[in-house]
Amino acid sequence: PWESGQRFVRVLVGLGVTSLSMTSRALGRVAAALALVTEDDCRRAARAALGAATADGARVVVAEALG
């Protein structure tokens, strides 16, 4: 679902990714998702994901980090 996609793109930005490839249809949604957070929010979410022991754990801590 798109909600998890929003979190994922924010984690990528938090990890330092500066270029994302997507369809033109997705561009507006991705831009809107990124407009709602700061770079610090993204870095905090990325650190939380990296500290998780499992993928499921990462999903939980990222959701908590991003509210």
Side-chain angles (χ1 to χ4, degrees):
W2 172 236
E3 185 174 319
S4 62
Q6 290 180 47
R7 291 186 189 124
F8 181 66
V9 76
R10 292 168 181 166
V11 168
L12 288 175
V13 169
L15 291 171
V17 172
T18 59
S19 178
L20 299 167
S21 178
M22 67 195 77
T23 66
S24 57
R25 261 182 53 189
L27 185 59
R29 288 189 302 184
V30 170
L34 290 174
L36 297 174
V37 293
T38 66
E39 284 186 56
D40 285 339
D41 294 332
C42 294
R43 284 191 288 270
R44 187 172 44 256
R47 282 192 305 271
L50 291 172
T54 65
D56 287 336
R59 287 182 196 95
V60 170
V61 297
V62 166
E64 290 171 355
L66 293 172

mmCIF file with all atom_site columns, all heavy atoms in Angstrom, residues 18-47:
data_model
loop_
_atom_site.group_PDB
_atom_site.id
_atom_site.type_symbol
_atom_site.label_atom_id
_atom_site.label_alt_id
_atom_site.label_comp_id
_atom_site.label_asym_id
_atom_site.label_entity_id
_atom_site.label_seq_id
_atom_site.pdbx_PDB_ins_code
_atom_site.Cartn_x
_atom_site.Cartn_y
_atom_site.Cartn_z
_atom_site.occupancy
_atom_site.B_iso_or_equiv
_atom_site.pdbx_formal_charge
_atom_site.auth_seq_id
_atom_site.auth_comp_id
_atom_site.auth_asym_id
_atom_site.auth_atom_id
_atom_site.pdbx_PDB_model_num
ATOM 1   N N   . THR A 1 18 ? 19.643 10.566 -3.169  1.00 0.00 ? 18 THR A N   1
ATOM 2   C CA  . THR A 1 18 ? 19.303 11.886 -3.709  1.00 0.00 ? 18 THR A CA  1
ATOM 3   C C   . THR A 1 18 ? 18.582 11.820 -5.044  1.00 0.00 ? 18 THR A C   1
ATOM 4   O O   . THR A 1 18 ? 18.160 12.840 -5.574  1.00 0.00 ? 18 THR A O   1
ATOM 5   C CB  . THR A 1 18 ? 20.569 12.749 -3.881  1.00 0.00 ? 18 THR A CB  1
ATOM 6   O OG1 . THR A 1 18 ? 21.469 12.076 -4.764  1.00 0.00 ? 18 THR A OG1 1
ATOM 7   C CG2 . THR A 1 18 ? 21.232 13.014 -2.539  1.00 0.00 ? 18 THR A CG2 1
ATOM 8   N N   . SER A 1 19 ? 18.444 10.617 -5.583  1.00 0.00 ? 19 SER A N   1
ATOM 9   C CA  . SER A 1 19 ? 17.777 10.461 -6.868  1.00 0.00 ? 19 SER A CA  1
ATOM 10  C C   . SER A 1 19 ? 16.883 9.234  -6.810  1.00 0.00 ? 19 SER A C   1
ATOM 11  O O   . SER A 1 19 ? 17.330 8.152  -6.425  1.00 0.00 ? 19 SER A O   1
ATOM 12  C CB  . SER A 1 19 ? 18.821 10.302 -7.974  1.00 0.00 ? 19 SER A CB  1
ATOM 13  O OG  . SER A 1 19 ? 18.200 10.109 -9.216  1.00 0.00 ? 19 SER A OG  1
ATOM 14  N N   . LEU A 1 20 ? 15.619 9.417  -7.169  1.00 0.00 ? 20 LEU A N   1
ATOM 15  C CA  . LEU A 1 20 ? 14.660 8.325  -7.187  1.00 0.00 ? 20 LEU A CA  1
ATOM 16  C C   . LEU A 1 20 ? 14.061 8.214  -8.585  1.00 0.00 ? 20 LEU A C   1
ATOM 17  O O   . LEU A 1 20 ? 13.771 9.227  -9.212  1.00 0.00 ? 20 LEU A O   1
ATOM 18  C CB  . LEU A 1 20 ? 13.533 8.580  -6.173  1.00 0.00 ? 20 LEU A CB  1
ATOM 19  C CG  . LEU A 1 20 ? 13.949 8.706  -4.721  1.00 0.00 ? 20 LEU A CG  1
ATOM 20  C CD1 . LEU A 1 20 ? 12.798 9.272  -3.885  1.00 0.00 ? 20 LEU A CD1 1
ATOM 21  C CD2 . LEU A 1 20 ? 14.391 7.373  -4.175  1.00 0.00 ? 20 LEU A CD2 1
ATOM 22  N N   . SER A 1 21 ? 13.879 7.013  -9.047  1.00 0.00 ? 21 SER A N   1
ATOM 23  C CA  . SER A 1 21 ? 13.270 6.779  -10.346 1.00 0.00 ? 21 SER A CA  1
ATOM 24  C C   . SER A 1 21 ? 11.822 6.352  -10.136 1.00 0.00 ? 21 SER A C   1
ATOM 25  O O   . SER A 1 21 ? 11.550 5.463  -9.326  1.00 0.00 ? 21 SER A O   1
ATOM 26  C CB  . SER A 1 21 ? 14.042 5.685  -11.088 1.00 0.00 ? 21 SER A CB  1
ATOM 27  O OG  . SER A 1 21 ? 13.435 5.420  -12.322 1.00 0.00 ? 21 SER A OG  1
ATOM 28  N N   . MET A 1 22 ? 10.901 7.017  -10.839 1.00 0.00 ? 22 MET A N   1
ATOM 29  C CA  . MET A 1 22 ? 9.484  6.692  -10.681 1.00 0.00 ? 22 MET A CA  1
ATOM 30  C C   . MET A 1 22 ? 8.721  7.146  -11.910 1.00 0.00 ? 22 MET A C   1
ATOM 31  O O   . MET A 1 22 ? 9.243  7.908  -12.727 1.00 0.00 ? 22 MET A O   1
ATOM 32  C CB  . MET A 1 22 ? 8.922  7.374  -9.435  1.00 0.00 ? 22 MET A CB  1
ATOM 33  C CG  . MET A 1 22 ? 8.874  8.884  -9.531  1.00 0.00 ? 22 MET A CG  1
ATOM 34  S SD  . MET A 1 22 ? 8.636  9.710  -7.974  1.00 0.00 ? 22 MET A SD  1
ATOM 35  C CE  . MET A 1 22 ? 10.270 9.585  -7.280  1.00 0.00 ? 22 MET A CE  1
ATOM 36  N N   . THR A 1 23 ? 7.494  6.705  -12.005 1.00 0.00 ? 23 THR A N   1
ATOM 37  C CA  . THR A 1 23 ? 6.638  7.159  -13.095 1.00 0.00 ? 23 THR A CA  1
ATOM 38  C C   . THR A 1 23 ? 6.206  8.591  -12.827 1.00 0.00 ? 23 THR A C   1
ATOM 39  O O   . THR A 1 23 ? 6.214  9.063  -11.686 1.00 0.00 ? 23 THR A O   1
ATOM 40  C CB  . THR A 1 23 ? 5.382  6.277  -13.216 1.00 0.00 ? 23 THR A CB  1
ATOM 41  O OG1 . THR A 1 23 ? 4.579  6.451  -12.044 1.00 0.00 ? 23 THR A OG1 1
ATOM 42  C CG2 . THR A 1 23 ? 5.741  4.807  -13.394 1.00 0.00 ? 23 THR A CG2 1
ATOM 43  N N   . SER A 1 24 ? 5.814  9.277  -13.850 1.00 0.00 ? 24 SER A N   1
ATOM 44  C CA  . SER A 1 24 ? 5.351  10.660 -13.683 1.00 0.00 ? 24 SER A CA  1
ATOM 45  C C   . SER A 1 24 ? 4.094  10.707 -12.817 1.00 0.00 ? 24 SER A C   1
ATOM 46  O O   . SER A 1 24 ? 3.873  11.684 -12.105 1.00 0.00 ? 24 SER A O   1
ATOM 47  C CB  . SER A 1 24 ? 5.110  11.317 -15.034 1.00 0.00 ? 24 SER A CB  1
ATOM 48  O OG  . SER A 1 24 ? 4.179  10.580 -15.790 1.00 0.00 ? 24 SER A OG  1
ATOM 49  N N   . ARG A 1 25 ? 3.296  9.660  -12.850 1.00 0.00 ? 25 ARG A N   1
ATOM 50  C CA  . ARG A 1 25 ? 2.094  9.599  -12.006 1.00 0.00 ? 25 ARG A CA  1
ATOM 51  C C   . ARG A 1 25 ? 2.435  9.581  -10.531 1.00 0.00 ? 25 ARG A C   1
ATOM 52  O O   . ARG A 1 25 ? 1.704  10.110 -9.705  1.00 0.00 ? 25 ARG A O   1
ATOM 53  C CB  . ARG A 1 25 ? 1.288  8.332  -12.326 1.00 0.00 ? 25 ARG A CB  1
ATOM 54  C CG  . ARG A 1 25 ? 0.137  8.557  -13.231 1.00 0.00 ? 25 ARG A CG  1
ATOM 55  C CD  . ARG A 1 25 ? -0.647 7.315  -13.495 1.00 0.00 ? 25 ARG A CD  1
ATOM 56  N NE  . ARG A 1 25 ? -1.069 6.638  -12.269 1.00 0.00 ? 25 ARG A NE  1
ATOM 57  C CZ  . ARG A 1 25 ? -1.623 5.460  -12.232 1.00 0.00 ? 25 ARG A CZ  1
ATOM 58  N NH1 . ARG A 1 25 ? -1.822 4.805  -13.347 1.00 0.00 ? 25 ARG A NH1 1
ATOM 59  N NH2 . ARG A 1 25 ? -1.997 4.919  -11.100 1.00 0.00 ? 25 ARG A NH2 1
ATOM 60  N N   . ALA A 1 26 ? 3.551  8.963  -10.169 1.00 0.00 ? 26 ALA A N   1
ATOM 61  C CA  . ALA A 1 26 ? 3.940  8.846  -8.764  1.00 0.00 ? 26 ALA A CA  1
ATOM 62  C C   . ALA A 1 26 ? 4.623  10.096 -8.235  1.00 0.00 ? 26 ALA A C   1
ATOM 63  O O   . ALA A 1 26 ? 4.660  10.315 -7.022  1.00 0.00 ? 26 ALA A O   1
ATOM 64  C CB  . ALA A 1 26 ? 4.868  7.644  -8.585  1.00 0.00 ? 26 ALA A CB  1
ATOM 65  N N   . LEU A 1 27 ? 5.132  10.928 -9.106  1.00 0.00 ? 27 LEU A N   1
ATOM 66  C CA  . LEU A 1 27 ? 5.927  12.081 -8.691  1.00 0.00 ? 27 LEU A CA  1
ATOM 67  C C   . LEU A 1 27 ? 5.198  12.989 -7.706  1.00 0.00 ? 27 LEU A C   1
ATOM 68  O O   . LEU A 1 27 ? 5.754  13.382 -6.676  1.00 0.00 ? 27 LEU A O   1
ATOM 69  C CB  . LEU A 1 27 ? 6.369  12.877 -9.922  1.00 0.00 ? 27 LEU A CB  1
ATOM 70  C CG  . LEU A 1 27 ? 7.310  14.035 -9.667  1.00 0.00 ? 27 LEU A CG  1
ATOM 71  C CD1 . LEU A 1 27 ? 8.589  13.561 -9.013  1.00 0.00 ? 27 LEU A CD1 1
ATOM 72  C CD2 . LEU A 1 27 ? 7.612  14.740 -10.975 1.00 0.00 ? 27 LEU A CD2 1
ATOM 73  N N   . GLY A 1 28 ? 3.957  13.310 -7.971  1.00 0.00 ? 28 GLY A N   1
ATOM 74  C CA  . GLY A 1 28 ? 3.194  14.192 -7.092  1.00 0.00 ? 28 GLY A CA  1
ATOM 75  C C   . GLY A 1 28 ? 2.997  13.602 -5.709  1.00 0.00 ? 28 GLY A C   1
ATOM 76  O O   . GLY A 1 28 ? 3.142  14.303 -4.694  1.00 0.00 ? 28 GLY A O   1
ATOM 77  N N   . ARG A 1 29 ? 2.699  12.304 -5.656  1.00 0.00 ? 29 ARG A N   1
ATOM 78  C CA  . ARG A 1 29 ? 2.501  11.655 -4.352  1.00 0.00 ? 29 ARG A CA  1
ATOM 79  C C   . ARG A 1 29 ? 3.792  11.601 -3.558  1.00 0.00 ? 29 ARG A C   1
ATOM 80  O O   . ARG A 1 29 ? 3.794  11.825 -2.347  1.00 0.00 ? 29 ARG A O   1
ATOM 81  C CB  . ARG A 1 29 ? 1.948  10.239 -4.529  1.00 0.00 ? 29 ARG A CB  1
ATOM 82  C CG  . ARG A 1 29 ? 0.506  10.215 -4.968  1.00 0.00 ? 29 ARG A CG  1
ATOM 83  C CD  . ARG A 1 29 ? -0.062 8.836  -4.916  1.00 0.00 ? 29 ARG A CD  1
ATOM 84  N NE  . ARG A 1 29 ? 0.736  7.942  -5.762  1.00 0.00 ? 29 ARG A NE  1
ATOM 85  C CZ  . ARG A 1 29 ? 0.451  6.678  -5.977  1.00 0.00 ? 29 ARG A CZ  1
ATOM 86  N NH1 . ARG A 1 29 ? -0.590 6.123  -5.408  1.00 0.00 ? 29 ARG A NH1 1
ATOM 87  N NH2 . ARG A 1 29 ? 1.213  5.944  -6.755  1.00 0.00 ? 29 ARG A NH2 1
ATOM 88  N N   . VAL A 1 30 ? 4.889  11.303 -4.228  1.00 0.00 ? 30 VAL A N   1
ATOM 89  C CA  . VAL A 1 30 ? 6.183  11.232 -3.544  1.00 0.00 ? 30 VAL A CA  1
ATOM 90  C C   . VAL A 1 30 ? 6.587  12.620 -3.047  1.00 0.00 ? 30 VAL A C   1
ATOM 91  O O   . VAL A 1 30 ? 7.019  12.778 -1.902  1.00 0.00 ? 30 VAL A O   1
ATOM 92  C CB  . VAL A 1 30 ? 7.261  10.624 -4.464  1.00 0.00 ? 30 VAL A CB  1
ATOM 93  C CG1 . VAL A 1 30 ? 8.641  10.763 -3.854  1.00 0.00 ? 30 VAL A CG1 1
ATOM 94  C CG2 . VAL A 1 30 ? 6.937  9.163  -4.743  1.00 0.00 ? 30 VAL A CG2 1
ATOM 95  N N   . ALA A 1 31 ? 6.415  13.631 -3.878  1.00 0.00 ? 31 ALA A N   1
ATOM 96  C CA  . ALA A 1 31 ? 6.747  15.001 -3.474  1.00 0.00 ? 31 ALA A CA  1
ATOM 97  C C   . ALA A 1 31 ? 5.897  15.423 -2.282  1.00 0.00 ? 31 ALA A C   1
ATOM 98  O O   . ALA A 1 31 ? 6.409  16.036 -1.335  1.00 0.00 ? 31 ALA A O   1
ATOM 99  C CB  . ALA A 1 31 ? 6.546  15.957 -4.644  1.00 0.00 ? 31 ALA A CB  1
ATOM 100 N N   . ALA A 1 32 ? 4.629  15.084 -2.296  1.00 0.00 ? 32 ALA A N   1
ATOM 101 C CA  . ALA A 1 32 ? 3.743  15.438 -1.186  1.00 0.00 ? 32 ALA A CA  1
ATOM 102 C C   . ALA A 1 32 ? 4.155  14.712 0.093   1.00 0.00 ? 32 ALA A C   1
ATOM 103 O O   . ALA A 1 32 ? 4.134  15.293 1.182   1.00 0.00 ? 32 ALA A O   1
ATOM 104 C CB  . ALA A 1 32 ? 2.297  15.111 -1.542  1.00 0.00 ? 32 ALA A CB  1
ATOM 105 N N   . ALA A 1 33 ? 4.542  13.458 -0.024  1.00 0.00 ? 33 ALA A N   1
ATOM 106 C CA  . ALA A 1 33 ? 4.973  12.688 1.145   1.00 0.00 ? 33 ALA A CA  1
ATOM 107 C C   . ALA A 1 33 ? 6.245  13.279 1.747   1.00 0.00 ? 33 ALA A C   1
ATOM 108 O O   . ALA A 1 33 ? 6.382  13.362 2.971   1.00 0.00 ? 33 ALA A O   1
ATOM 109 C CB  . ALA A 1 33 ? 5.196  11.222 0.768   1.00 0.00 ? 33 ALA A CB  1
ATOM 110 N N   . LEU A 1 34 ? 7.160  13.699 0.909   1.00 0.00 ? 34 LEU A N   1
ATOM 111 C CA  . LEU A 1 34 ? 8.410  14.280 1.399   1.00 0.00 ? 34 LEU A CA  1
ATOM 112 C C   . LEU A 1 34 ? 8.205  15.685 1.962   1.00 0.00 ? 34 LEU A C   1
ATOM 113 O O   . LEU A 1 34 ? 8.927  16.104 2.865   1.00 0.00 ? 34 LEU A O   1
ATOM 114 C CB  . LEU A 1 34 ? 9.463  14.288 0.296   1.00 0.00 ? 34 LEU A CB  1
ATOM 115 C CG  . LEU A 1 34 ? 9.987  12.915 -0.097  1.00 0.00 ? 34 LEU A CG  1
ATOM 116 C CD1 . LEU A 1 34 ? 10.904 13.018 -1.301  1.00 0.00 ? 34 LEU A CD1 1
ATOM 117 C CD2 . LEU A 1 34 ? 10.696 12.246 1.074   1.00 0.00 ? 34 LEU A CD2 1
ATOM 118 N N   . ALA A 1 35 ? 7.207  16.387 1.463   1.00 0.00 ? 35 ALA A N   1
ATOM 119 C CA  . ALA A 1 35 ? 6.943  17.743 1.955   1.00 0.00 ? 35 ALA A CA  1
ATOM 120 C C   . ALA A 1 35 ? 6.447  17.750 3.396   1.00 0.00 ? 35 ALA A C   1
ATOM 121 O O   . ALA A 1 35 ? 6.532  18.772 4.072   1.00 0.00 ? 35 ALA A O   1
ATOM 122 C CB  . ALA A 1 35 ? 5.931  18.433 1.045   1.00 0.00 ? 35 ALA A CB  1
ATOM 123 N N   . LEU A 1 36 ? 5.965  16.615 3.866   1.00 0.00 ? 36 LEU A N   1
ATOM 124 C CA  . LEU A 1 36 ? 5.403  16.529 5.219   1.00 0.00 ? 36 LEU A CA  1
ATOM 125 C C   . LEU A 1 36 ? 6.445  16.264 6.290   1.00 0.00 ? 36 LEU A C   1
ATOM 126 O O   . LEU A 1 36 ? 6.107  16.258 7.482   1.00 0.00 ? 36 LEU A O   1
ATOM 127 C CB  . LEU A 1 36 ? 4.335  15.428 5.265   1.00 0.00 ? 36 LEU A CB  1
ATOM 128 C CG  . LEU A 1 36 ? 3.117  15.646 4.376   1.00 0.00 ? 36 LEU A CG  1
ATOM 129 C CD1 . LEU A 1 36 ? 2.215  14.419 4.413   1.00 0.00 ? 36 LEU A CD1 1
ATOM 130 C CD2 . LEU A 1 36 ? 2.359  16.896 4.798   1.00 0.00 ? 36 LEU A CD2 1
ATOM 131 N N   . VAL A 1 37 ? 7.687  16.014 5.887   1.00 0.00 ? 37 VAL A N   1
ATOM 132 C CA  . VAL A 1 37 ? 8.730  15.672 6.853   1.00 0.00 ? 37 VAL A CA  1
ATOM 133 C C   . VAL A 1 37 ? 9.986  16.486 6.586   1.00 0.00 ? 37 VAL A C   1
ATOM 134 O O   . VAL A 1 37 ? 10.176 17.015 5.500   1.00 0.00 ? 37 VAL A O   1
ATOM 135 C CB  . VAL A 1 37 ? 9.084  14.161 6.798   1.00 0.00 ? 37 VAL A CB  1
ATOM 136 C CG1 . VAL A 1 37 ? 7.927  13.300 7.266   1.00 0.00 ? 37 VAL A CG1 1
ATOM 137 C CG2 . VAL A 1 37 ? 9.519  13.753 5.399   1.00 0.00 ? 37 VAL A CG2 1
ATOM 138 N N   . THR A 1 38 ? 10.839 16.557 7.602   1.00 0.00 ? 38 THR A N   1
ATOM 139 C CA  . THR A 1 38 ? 12.128 17.219 7.440   1.00 0.00 ? 38 THR A CA  1
ATOM 140 C C   . THR A 1 38 ? 13.189 16.173 7.113   1.00 0.00 ? 38 THR A C   1
ATOM 141 O O   . THR A 1 38 ? 12.955 14.964 7.265   1.00 0.00 ? 38 THR A O   1
ATOM 142 C CB  . THR A 1 38 ? 12.533 17.942 8.732   1.00 0.00 ? 38 THR A CB  1
ATOM 143 O OG1 . THR A 1 38 ? 12.760 16.960 9.753   1.00 0.00 ? 38 THR A OG1 1
ATOM 144 C CG2 . THR A 1 38 ? 11.466 18.934 9.173   1.00 0.00 ? 38 THR A CG2 1
ATOM 145 N N   . GLU A 1 39 ? 14.355 16.641 6.709   1.00 0.00 ? 39 GLU A N   1
ATOM 146 C CA  . GLU A 1 39 ? 15.460 15.704 6.483   1.00 0.00 ? 39 GLU A CA  1
ATOM 147 C C   . GLU A 1 39 ? 15.834 15.006 7.786   1.00 0.00 ? 39 GLU A C   1
ATOM 148 O O   . GLU A 1 39 ? 16.185 13.833 7.774   1.00 0.00 ? 39 GLU A O   1
ATOM 149 C CB  . GLU A 1 39 ? 16.668 16.431 5.898   1.00 0.00 ? 39 GLU A CB  1
ATOM 150 C CG  . GLU A 1 39 ? 16.504 16.756 4.429   1.00 0.00 ? 39 GLU A CG  1
ATOM 151 C CD  . GLU A 1 39 ? 17.773 17.351 3.847   1.00 0.00 ? 39 GLU A CD  1
ATOM 152 O OE1 . GLU A 1 39 ? 18.838 16.702 3.941   1.00 0.00 ? 39 GLU A OE1 1
ATOM 153 O OE2 . GLU A 1 39 ? 17.683 18.468 3.307   1.00 0.00 ? 39 GLU A OE2 1
ATOM 154 N N   . ASP A 1 40 ? 15.757 15.729 8.894   1.00 0.00 ? 40 ASP A N   1
ATOM 155 C CA  . ASP A 1 40 ? 16.032 15.101 10.194  1.00 0.00 ? 40 ASP A CA  1
ATOM 156 C C   . ASP A 1 40 ? 15.048 13.980 10.497  1.00 0.00 ? 40 ASP A C   1
ATOM 157 O O   . ASP A 1 40 ? 15.434 12.940 11.022  1.00 0.00 ? 40 ASP A O   1
ATOM 158 C CB  . ASP A 1 40 ? 16.011 16.137 11.319  1.00 0.00 ? 40 ASP A CB  1
ATOM 159 C CG  . ASP A 1 40 ? 17.248 17.009 11.338  1.00 0.00 ? 40 ASP A CG  1
ATOM 160 O OD1 . ASP A 1 40 ? 18.285 16.597 10.766  1.00 0.00 ? 40 ASP A OD1 1
ATOM 161 O OD2 . ASP A 1 40 ? 17.181 18.105 11.927  1.00 0.00 ? 40 ASP A OD2 1
ATOM 162 N N   . ASP A 1 41 ? 13.772 14.190 10.154  1.00 0.00 ? 41 ASP A N   1
ATOM 163 C CA  . ASP A 1 41 ? 12.769 13.122 10.328  1.00 0.00 ? 41 ASP A CA  1
ATOM 164 C C   . ASP A 1 41 ? 13.171 11.896 9.518   1.00 0.00 ? 41 ASP A C   1
ATOM 165 O O   . ASP A 1 41 ? 13.084 10.760 9.996   1.00 0.00 ? 41 ASP A O   1
ATOM 166 C CB  . ASP A 1 41 ? 11.386 13.580 9.856   1.00 0.00 ? 41 ASP A CB  1
ATOM 167 C CG  . ASP A 1 41 ? 10.782 14.690 10.696  1.00 0.00 ? 41 ASP A CG  1
ATOM 168 O OD1 . ASP A 1 41 ? 11.099 14.796 11.897  1.00 0.00 ? 41 ASP A OD1 1
ATOM 169 O OD2 . ASP A 1 41 ? 9.966  15.449 10.126  1.00 0.00 ? 41 ASP A OD2 1
ATOM 170 N N   . CYS A 1 42 ? 13.606 12.131 8.288   1.00 0.00 ? 42 CYS A N   1
ATOM 171 C CA  . CYS A 1 42 ? 14.003 11.026 7.410   1.00 0.00 ? 42 CYS A CA  1
ATOM 172 C C   . CYS A 1 42 ? 15.227 10.303 7.958   1.00 0.00 ? 42 CYS A C   1
ATOM 173 O O   . CYS A 1 42 ? 15.276 9.071  7.956   1.00 0.00 ? 42 CYS A O   1
ATOM 174 C CB  . CYS A 1 42 ? 14.283 11.551 5.999   1.00 0.00 ? 42 CYS A CB  1
ATOM 175 S SG  . CYS A 1 42 ? 12.819 12.194 5.150   1.00 0.00 ? 42 CYS A SG  1
ATOM 176 N N   . ARG A 1 43 ? 16.205 11.049 8.448   1.00 0.00 ? 43 ARG A N   1
ATOM 177 C CA  . ARG A 1 43 ? 17.404 10.424 9.018   1.00 0.00 ? 43 ARG A CA  1
ATOM 178 C C   . ARG A 1 43 ? 17.057 9.618  10.276  1.00 0.00 ? 43 ARG A C   1
ATOM 179 O O   . ARG A 1 43 ? 17.578 8.529  10.485  1.00 0.00 ? 43 ARG A O   1
ATOM 180 C CB  . ARG A 1 43 ? 18.464 11.485 9.309   1.00 0.00 ? 43 ARG A CB  1
ATOM 181 C CG  . ARG A 1 43 ? 19.179 11.965 8.055   1.00 0.00 ? 43 ARG A CG  1
ATOM 182 C CD  . ARG A 1 43 ? 20.390 12.813 8.382   1.00 0.00 ? 43 ARG A CD  1
ATOM 183 N NE  . ARG A 1 43 ? 20.019 14.116 8.891   1.00 0.00 ? 43 ARG A NE  1
ATOM 184 C CZ  . ARG A 1 43 ? 19.825 15.187 8.141   1.00 0.00 ? 43 ARG A CZ  1
ATOM 185 N NH1 . ARG A 1 43 ? 19.954 15.103 6.826   1.00 0.00 ? 43 ARG A NH1 1
ATOM 186 N NH2 . ARG A 1 43 ? 19.518 16.345 8.689   1.00 0.00 ? 43 ARG A NH2 1
ATOM 187 N N   . ARG A 1 44 ? 16.176 10.157 11.098  1.00 0.00 ? 44 ARG A N   1
ATOM 188 C CA  . ARG A 1 44 ? 15.755 9.445  12.309  1.00 0.00 ? 44 ARG A CA  1
ATOM 189 C C   . ARG A 1 44 ? 15.057 8.126  11.940  1.00 0.00 ? 44 ARG A C   1
ATOM 190 O O   . ARG A 1 44 ? 15.312 7.086  12.539  1.00 0.00 ? 44 ARG A O   1
ATOM 191 C CB  . ARG A 1 44 ? 14.832 10.332 13.143  1.00 0.00 ? 44 ARG A CB  1
ATOM 192 C CG  . ARG A 1 44 ? 14.466 9.770  14.484  1.00 0.00 ? 44 ARG A CG  1
ATOM 193 C CD  . ARG A 1 44 ? 13.714 10.739 15.393  1.00 0.00 ? 44 ARG A CD  1
ATOM 194 N NE  . ARG A 1 44 ? 12.649 11.490 14.741  1.00 0.00 ? 44 ARG A NE  1
ATOM 195 C CZ  . ARG A 1 44 ? 12.722 12.772 14.382  1.00 0.00 ? 44 ARG A CZ  1
ATOM 196 N NH1 . ARG A 1 44 ? 13.821 13.468 14.620  1.00 0.00 ? 44 ARG A NH1 1
ATOM 197 N NH2 . ARG A 1 44 ? 11.705 13.366 13.792  1.00 0.00 ? 44 ARG A NH2 1
ATOM 198 N N   . ALA A 1 45 ? 14.206 8.164  10.939  1.00 0.00 ? 45 ALA A N   1
ATOM 199 C CA  . ALA A 1 45 ? 13.519 6.948  10.488  1.00 0.00 ? 45 ALA A CA  1
ATOM 200 C C   . ALA A 1 45 ? 14.517 5.935  9.931   1.00 0.00 ? 45 ALA A C   1
ATOM 201 O O   . ALA A 1 45 ? 14.406 4.738  10.185  1.00 0.00 ? 45 ALA A O   1
ATOM 202 C CB  . ALA A 1 45 ? 12.471 7.296  9.438   1.00 0.00 ? 45 ALA A CB  1
ATOM 203 N N   . ALA A 1 46 ? 15.504 6.416  9.184   1.00 0.00 ? 46 ALA A N   1
ATOM 204 C CA  . ALA A 1 46 ? 16.520 5.516  8.623   1.00 0.00 ? 46 ALA A CA  1
ATOM 205 C C   . ALA A 1 46 ? 17.345 4.873  9.728   1.00 0.00 ? 46 ALA A C   1
ATOM 206 O O   . ALA A 1 46 ? 17.614 3.670  9.685   1.00 0.00 ? 46 ALA A O   1
ATOM 207 C CB  . ALA A 1 46 ? 17.424 6.281  7.664   1.00 0.00 ? 46 ALA A CB  1
ATOM 208 N N   . ARG A 1 47 ? 17.739 5.655  10.732  1.00 0.00 ? 47 ARG A N   1
ATOM 209 C CA  . ARG A 1 47 ? 18.497 5.088  11.855  1.00 0.00 ? 47 ARG A CA  1
ATOM 210 C C   . ARG A 1 47 ? 17.673 4.036  12.590  1.00 0.00 ? 47 ARG A C   1
ATOM 211 O O   . ARG A 1 47 ? 18.188 2.985  12.977  1.00 0.00 ? 47 ARG A O   1
ATOM 212 C CB  . ARG A 1 47 ? 18.931 6.190  12.828  1.00 0.00 ? 47 ARG A CB  1
ATOM 213 C CG  . ARG A 1 47 ? 20.120 6.990  12.365  1.00 0.00 ? 47 ARG A CG  1
ATOM 214 C CD  . ARG A 1 47 ? 20.703 7.862  13.470  1.00 0.00 ? 47 ARG A CD  1
ATOM 215 N NE  . ARG A 1 47 ? 19.719 8.748  14.062  1.00 0.00 ? 47 ARG A NE  1
ATOM 216 C CZ  . ARG A 1 47 ? 19.434 9.984  13.636  1.00 0.00 ? 47 ARG A CZ  1
ATOM 217 N NH1 . ARG A 1 47 ? 20.079 10.465 12.587  1.00 0.00 ? 47 ARG A NH1 1
ATOM 218 N NH2 . ARG A 1 47 ? 18.535 10.725 14.246  1.00 0.00 ? 47 ARG A NH2 1
#
